[in-house]
Amino acid sequence: MRLLLIAGVALAALAAPVAAIQVGAGAREVVQSAERAVADDSAAVVAARWNQALRRDSADRVATLGLGTLARVTYEFETAERLFEGMLQGNRPGPDEWSVQARLGLYRVANAAGDMRRADSLAELALRDARLIGDGGGEMDALIGLSGTRSALGPEEPGLATLDTLRRLLPPGDGWERGEYLCRLGLLRGVVGDSAASTLIRDGIRMAERLGERQLAGHCLEAHALVFSLHARADSVFPIMDRAEELLRATRAHASLARLYSRRSDELQARGRLGEAKESLRKVIEEGTRSRNRQRMAYAYGGLGMLALRVGDLATAADWFDRAAALNDSLGRGEGALIARQNRAEVLAASGDLEAARAAFTGTLREAEEFGFFEDVVIAHQQLARLAIRQANWREAERQLTAADRKARARGLDGLAENLVYDRGVLALGRGGLAEAERLLGGFLARVAREDRLVRHTVRVRLAEVAARRGDLARAEREITAASRELEDWRESLSDDELRGYAFSATVLGEYDPQAPTARVLAALAAGGRVEAAFALAERRRARLLADRLNQAQALREGAALARAPAHRAGPLSAAEIVATLPDSSTAVVEYVAGGEGAPSTVFVLSRAGVRATVLPGADTLGPAIHRLVGLLEQGARPDGLAESLGKALLEPAAGLLPAGVTRLLVVPDGPLHRLPFDALRLAGGDPAVERWAIGLAPSASLAATLWRRGVDDSSTAPSRVLALGDPTFRTELASSGSRNAEVFRSAFAARGGLPRLEGSGEEARVVARYADGEAVVRLRDEASEAWLKQAPLERFGVIHLATHALVDERSLARTALALAPGGREDGFLSPADLADLELDADMVVLSACRTAGGVTVAGEGVQGLTTPLVAAGARSVVATQWRVGDRSTVRLVRDLYDALARGSPVADALRDAKLAALRRGAPPGEWAGFTVVGDPMTRVALAGPAKRPGAGAAGAAALIALVGGAAAYGAVRRRGRSGDRAVAPGTVAATHH
């Protein structure tokens, strides 16, 4: 993201040191004294004196101007405007020094609120009046203001011309006006590439320090840091900003702090220090809210959008950019609005709509050139070059980079020009100029600071790609391994869990798909015989956040014993370690690395025979084909041809690497393959894959191995207690009174037709309860509530079955939830975070609702929706659905699933048996292929078939406990025995789980 330069570049006019108001003091001295009182924490005393004066004489102009200034500096803008406007009204014959300062007060209010156009107009009127009455001080104040507003609204030349006029009015010697002039002049000179800019600003800083003007010194230091950044002296930026922050905070300059934190965030994002950048943006919002500066808030929203864009969260990025654009539009046309349009174009580019992105960037280029926003001109050329590189239009890319470089260097802006070196390296690599690419990328890497790990990672991956294309696989492996270490170190430095979850999709330097260069290198290593190394590198980028959570949970469970004898080391496992954990020779792991942007894909197969791999075509065309397949299946169609073509592309190559006797596959998908119903794919000869294998999914092979190991450690023949929730009561009027998230979920459900009752899901819950080999709990209607689930002793249950509605948004995790009954201060919507907070020790959780296996796909971490949080919470396996499912077919498939589990089959095998039963009775794939198991497919659940227990059938509720209360009631019911039984006769109702 560009430095937020011009919009907001104006330094606030500060007060000269005035100890107290002297008798007969002029209007300017009153303003300066009020400003100093706030900076020195004596505002309350001064305000009391002026309020007393105003009570004696309501027309007291000293008190009115002073109180208006205090209100302005403390961000009470309505009060300030009322007092200043009052001074301008009446029957006065013409302007005087008081009306000039009142108008300047209104200018400063508009400037502080970020309304540059109104501020410019007010400063212009103040300048006119000051000149009319010969008010030199008022004229200097107005010129200082105009130098900022004119730079914010257009090119820097009008601002420089205004400062030149100001110079002729400055009194000799030290003075705060001269300090302001020097710092402003240095900043604008720095923007146009004048090498003397830093000297001017340093002179201004020294003058401010001699005068004791701490706030002015802070503003000058902020300008100094910005000039250093523009001139590629990044090593000095943060220490200067730290000094500026100290001074601005000491003088309570909240609007200035908001601007400083915006600039700090830009610097941090450019270096890949996203966690620190996010914290800076939080401070921008805090200070911007406190100072009521809409311009700062707009920049904060844009910064958060760019942060989301950098980690591949396009839906969140678009939302933040829309909020920024709306706020900028309310402030009028300016660089802020231009930046908002550039940001929207970035989302188009990241989502793959390259032609729309090109049109948008071309439009912002014309606008930036028209208004003289130099940095945005350079950035627009750079973005157009990056689009051309993605489309292999080398000539156009070269033309745009040349234009960007020429315009940056014409201004002497080495920092902007140096950023183009990376783009030139990628261009050379695309053209096949490997020597030039290595020279450019290697030189760029040498200038990247050690702490800028994400940037270093990105460059080293490209250097590994250069080596791979040269055939130097040993060097390619060294470079990609070093790049992985850089990424690991960067990820470990993040304190923010949300950002850690996006670590492997994070981008800098204009990369839109950070996986593509890595996929090229891994494919080259696998094809060159370095299969184990390629697999290890692939696993290092898989489901690390989930693995971290599971390791932390294991540590808490094992307590001190873990320190004495750790069960399993954290981190990804090697291929040999994973092979050693395979439950039997019938089980194999199939892990994909999906290459985008023309990169090849790779499939790894791990079995008792070892690890093998083969290179596949790129995954660029698979996304639309998978989307079409899922859509047809959901509609009840039988798209055999499409299923066979995808099976030929993806499963047949893996099947060729499998030893004989493998009947169970654990698939680790990647990219668009996360949406693929592997069971529905057809093999050579037209047979569905489900007829050959039981297929389960896992976010990573290491995670599956960890679950296998823990399954062995925790193996028990104890009967499974079953908890089944179904047919919840949905009261939208209760949900509407809940949290903001509840409003989001409620509106999203309403957009899909609301929350109709699911009577069949109640019958489904009763069916499930009949399979308990121990106690069973059924909760229906109001009892199937979010509040109860959150406080119940869930670790007691081996099986948890939730039959209800679900909302799964594949663009936004914030719009994903499981719906239960509201009440007890809960809105009824279980978010992914709510699910992760549950304490489970379940062999199996079944999410019998629509699309519960879906969610936001995060590169490296997999699908983030409803299943992953349950695994993190302690579920060994989660059965979920990939599309809409109907009540009638679901109850039948669920019964078949539980029958197979009761016979002793592992979850994946049991689910396969249920699918084969559906296949034999002629059910279309849409009724069965959408069900999948995530986690450990080998989990066995100790259940009993209904016919094996005495009194089965309508009277077979002897083992069924119906809970009405919470956790305490659960214990009381158990102590009494098996009371409160309910009938469990199965029944079906034609409906749909949403």
Side-chain angles (χ1 to χ4, degrees):
M1 185 178 180
R2 94 251 315 116
L3 298 169
L4 304 180
L5 295 181
I6 302 302
V9 83
L11 302 174
L14 301 176
V18 176
I21 303 254
Q22 303 297 321
V23 176
R28 199 162 182 250
E29 286 75 17
V30 171
V31 171
Q32 293 168 354
S33 293
E35 290 176 334
R36 172 54 62 87
V38 173
D40 291 345
D41 202 21
S42 59
V45 175
V46 176
R49 187 166 65 244
W50 278 327
N51 274 311
Q52 187 178 21
L54 206 57
R55 282 193 293 272
R56 289 195 302 266
D57 179 4
S58 61
D60 190 321
R61 301 178 83 186
V62 171
T64 303
L65 182 59
L67 288 170
T69 303
L70 287 177
R72 168 180 63 82
V73 180
T74 55
Y75 311 107
E76 297 177 15
F77 293 151
E78 290 83 1
T79 300
E81 291 233 15
R82 176 175 56 79
L83 292 169
F84 294 145
E85 289 285 1
M87 294 182 67
L88 294 173
Q89 294 169 2
N91 299 317
R92 301 187 184 280
D96 59 13
E97 61 172 323
W98 300 94
S99 64
V100 168
Q101 289 300 323
R103 208 175 294 281
L104 285 168
L106 290 171
Y107 141 72
R108 288 164 180 148
V109 168
N111 184 63
D115 191 342
M116 291 295 105
R117 292 198 175 278
R118 180 169 179 247
D120 185 75
S121 176
L122 288 163
E124 183 67 49
L125 289 173
L127 178 64
R128 180 203 64 189
D129 288 350
R131 285 175 171 169
L132 184 64
I133 64 172
D135 180 2
E139 185 177 359
M140 285 192 291
D141 291 342
L143 288 168
I144 287 171
L146 286 169
S147 70
T149 59
R150 288 174 176 174
S151 296
L153 294 169
E156 61 282 351
E157 283 78 6
L160 286 168
T162 303
L163 287 175
D164 190 56
T165 303
L166 172 64
R167 177 184 57 81
R168 294 193 291 269
L169 297 175
L170 292 173
D174 287 356
W176 72 268
E177 298 95 338
R178 187 173 293 276
E180 283 271 9
Y181 164 78
L182 290 170
C183 292
R184 288 171 181 271
L185 181 63
L187 177 59
L188 293 184
R189 290 274 181 211
V191 165
V192 298
D194 190 333
S195 58
S198 292
T199 300
L200 288 166
I201 295 175
R202 280 195 294 268
D203 288 344
I205 293 171
R206 285 193 289 268
M207 187 172 294
E209 290 172 342
R210 286 196 300 272
L211 294 168
E213 289 290 343
R214 294 179 297 166
Q215 196 170 130
L216 175 57
H219 287 136
C220 291
L221 284 164
E222 182 188 358
H224 206 203
L226 184 53
V227 169
F228 270 30
S229 174
L230 289 170
H231 292 274
R233 297 172 66 180
D235 55 332
S236 302
V237 169
F238 292 116
I240 296 173
M241 284 186 170
D242 290 341
R243 288 175 57 201
E245 180 184 4
E246 181 181 353
L247 291 169
L248 295 175
R249 186 160 297 284
T251 54
R252 296 167 182 77
H254 300 295
S256 302
L257 281 168
R259 183 178 60 232
L260 177 67
Y261 289 134
S262 289
R263 290 172 177 165
R264 184 191 291 273
S265 176
D266 292 338
E267 294 287 341
L268 290 166
Q269 285 203 42
R271 290 159 177 73
R273 294 159 65 176
L274 304 189
E276 295 170 82
K278 185 175 183 180
E279 176 61 19
S280 287
L281 289 169
R282 184 194 66 77
K283 292 179 179 178
V284 175
I285 291 177
E286 178 182 313
E287 300 294 343
T289 300
R290 190 168 183 177
S291 61
R292 303 174 62 187
N293 189 305
R294 291 183 294 160
Q295 188 181 60
R296 289 300 111 208
M297 297 299 290
Y299 280 130
Y301 296 159
L304 288 166
M306 189 56 68
L307 190 63
L309 186 64
R310 290 195 187 286
V311 297
D313 187 354
L314 300 187
T316 300
D319 181 58
W320 281 118
F321 288 152
D322 285 344
R323 294 175 67 180
L327 204 47
N328 273 308
D329 288 344
S330 73
L331 295 171
R333 194 173 186 182
E335 194 185 24
L338 170 63
I339 290 172
R341 284 186 283 279
Q342 282 193 325
N343 289 341
R344 284 170 162 172
E346 291 262 24
V347 173
L348 291 170
S351 61
D353 193 348
L354 303 190
E355 290 310 314
R358 181 184 308 283
F361 282 128
T362 300
T364 60
L365 174 61
R366 286 195 297 266
E367 185 178 345
E369 288 176 333
E370 177 184 353
F371 289 95
F373 296 136
F374 75 95
E375 187 187 4
D376 300 293
V377 169
V378 174
I379 288 172
H381 281 300
Q382 185 181 37
Q383 294 292 7
L384 287 167
R386 289 169 174 173
L387 292 178
I389 289 172
R390 291 175 70 185
Q391 295 180 309
N393 189 343
W394 313 128
R395 179 177 296 179
E396 174 64 11
E398 176 64 39
R399 186 179 74 83
Q400 295 290 351
L401 285 177
T402 299
D405 186 75
R406 184 179 67 251
K407 292 176 181 179
R409 294 191 184 281
R411 299 277 185 175
L413 303 177
D414 300 331
L416 288 176
E418 285 187 7
N419 282 338
L420 301 172
V421 174
Y422 179 81
D423 297 288
R424 287 198 172 277
V426 175
L427 172 59
L429 179 59
R431 282 173 159 172
L434 301 183
E436 182 185 8
E438 184 172 19
R439 176 181 62 80
L440 290 168
L441 294 170
F444 187 86
L445 179 64
R447 292 190 293 274
V448 177
R450 288 287 176 187
E451 65 269 19
D452 297 341
R453 298 183 183 95
L454 183 57
V455 177
R456 296 181 64 82
H457 158 76
T458 304
V459 182
R460 297 199 83 149
V461 169
R462 287 295 190 176
L463 285 168
E465 186 180 354
V466 172
R469 290 183 60 177
R470 281 181 158 174
D472 188 349
L473 296 186
R475 183 176 178 190
E477 183 179 337
R478 288 196 302 273
E479 286 288 359
I480 195 72
T481 301
S484 294
R485 283 197 297 268
E486 297 275 14
L487 187 59
E488 287 280 357
D489 290 343
W490 174 74
R491 181 178 176 274
E492 289 302 316
S493 73
L494 297 174
S495 59
D496 186 282
D497 266 355
E498 183 179 359
L499 287 178
R500 286 169 66 86
Y502 284 101
F504 301 108
S505 60
T507 63
V508 288
L509 303 171
E511 293 284 4
Y512 290 103
D513 182 0
Q515 308 302 312
T518 299
R520 292 188 187 96
V521 177
L522 296 187
L525 294 177
R530 297 173 179 264
V531 177
E532 292 198 15
F535 175 78
L537 288 161
E539 269 294 290
R540 290 176 72 167
R541 305 171 69 90
R542 290 284 188 273
R544 298 298 299 281
L545 186 62
L546 179 55
D548 290 346
R549 289 172 178 168
L550 288 176
N551 282 316
Q552 289 166 6
Q554 181 75 353
L556 289 173
R557 282 194 293 268
E558 296 181 356
L562 184 67
R564 294 193 300 272
H568 315 295
R569 70 175 176 82
L573 304 177
S574 68
E577 289 172 314
I578 293 168
V579 167
T581 67
L582 289 171
D584 50 48
S585 60
S586 299
T587 304
V589 175
V590 177
E591 180 164 325
Y592 292 91
V593 175
E597 295 195 346
S601 300
T602 306
V603 59
F604 299 93
V605 173
L606 287 77
S607 68
R608 287 285 176 87
V611 56
R612 301 173 181 173
T614 189
V615 177
L616 310 176
D620 294 311
T621 61
L622 293 180
I626 292 170
H627 181 76
R628 190 163 63 253
L629 175 68
V630 170
L632 291 169
L633 291 173
E634 189 172 1
Q635 294 167 20
R638 300 177 184 268
D640 294 347
L642 186 56
E644 188 167 349
S645 66
L646 285 169
K648 181 178 180 181
L650 294 167
L651 274 182
E652 290 287 358
L657 303 177
L658 290 170
V662 171
T663 59
R664 189 181 299 109
L665 300 182
L666 181 75
V667 175
V668 180
D670 191 31
L673 306 191
H674 284 291
R675 312 294 182 197
L676 183 63
F678 283 89
D679 279 327
L681 300 188
R682 292 184 172 269
L683 306 173
D687 295 333
V690 70
E691 292 190 344
R692 184 178 300 186
W693 303 293
I695 300 176
L697 303 178
S700 78
S702 295
L703 179 66
T706 299
L707 292 173
W708 284 330
R709 284 174 166 177
R710 291 178 182 170
V712 171
D713 294 344
D714 300 338
S715 61
S716 172
T717 58
S720 291
R721 299 183 181 92
V722 174
L723 170 63
L725 274 66
D727 192 16
T729 302
F730 304 119
R731 296 193 184 99
T732 55
E733 69 276 8
L734 289 182
S736 67
S737 63
S739 64
R740 180 181 181 275
N741 283 342
E743 292 290 344
V744 172
F745 295 142
R746 193 171 65 90
S747 64
F749 276 111
R752 295 189 174 205
L755 296 173
R757 182 178 178 183
L758 295 170
E759 294 186 57
S761 70
E763 300 302 330
E764 181 182 326
R766 295 187 181 98
V767 168
V768 167
R770 296 173 57 199
Y771 289 86
D773 201 18
E775 293 88 357
V777 175
V778 174
R779 295 186 68 87
L780 307 175
R781 306 303 289 148
D782 288 346
E783 296 171 15
S785 68
E786 176 191 5
W788 183 87
L789 194 70
K790 283 183 173 180
Q791 54 82 51
L794 299 180
E795 67 277 5
R796 297 174 181 270
F797 297 101
V799 174
I800 299 175
H801 190 103
L802 305 174
T804 182
H805 285 294
L807 173 72
V808 177
D809 193 319
E810 296 184 352
R811 297 179 67 250
S812 173
L813 198 60
R815 294 174 63 87
T816 294
L818 200 68
L820 293 176
R825 297 185 178 179
E826 299 290 353
D827 53 48
F829 298 111
L830 273 166
S831 69
D834 292 331
L835 293 174
D837 286 340
L838 300 176
E839 294 185 8
L840 307 180
D841 190 19
D843 295 314
M844 180 180 71
V845 175
V846 178
L847 296 178
S848 184
C850 293
R851 299 189 177 94
T852 50
V856 178
T857 301
V858 178
E861 292 292 344
V863 175
Q864 303 299 293
L866 300 173
T867 58
T868 300
L870 288 167
V871 175
R876 294 173 182 81
S877 63
V878 180
V879 175
T881 64
Q882 292 179 299
W883 50 73
R884 294 170 67 91
V885 294
D887 271 10
R888 186 182 301 277
S889 59
T890 297
V891 172
R892 189 161 186 179
L893 188 141
V894 164
R895 188 189 301 115
D896 290 339
L897 165 66
Y898 278 86
D899 278 340
L901 290 169
R903 292 194 297 268
S905 296
V907 174
D909 294 47
L911 187 58
R912 180 194 182 207
D913 288 348
K915 293 178 178 181
L916 290 175
L919 195 61
R920 286 192 295 270
R921 63 176 176 262
E927 289 190 9
W928 52 264
F931 286 85
T932 189
V933 57
V934 178
D936 177 8
M938 292 298 295
T939 301
R940 295 178 188 271
V941 185
L943 294 175
K948 295 181 180 179
R949 290 155 64 267
L960 177 62
I961 301 174
L963 284 185
V964 178
Y970 174 80
V973 172
R974 289 195 63 208
R975 287 192 295 273
R976 288 198 304 270
R978 296 177 180 175
S979 60
D981 297 348
R982 286 184 176 171
V984 292
T988 59
V989 176
T992 302
H993 291 11
H994 287 282

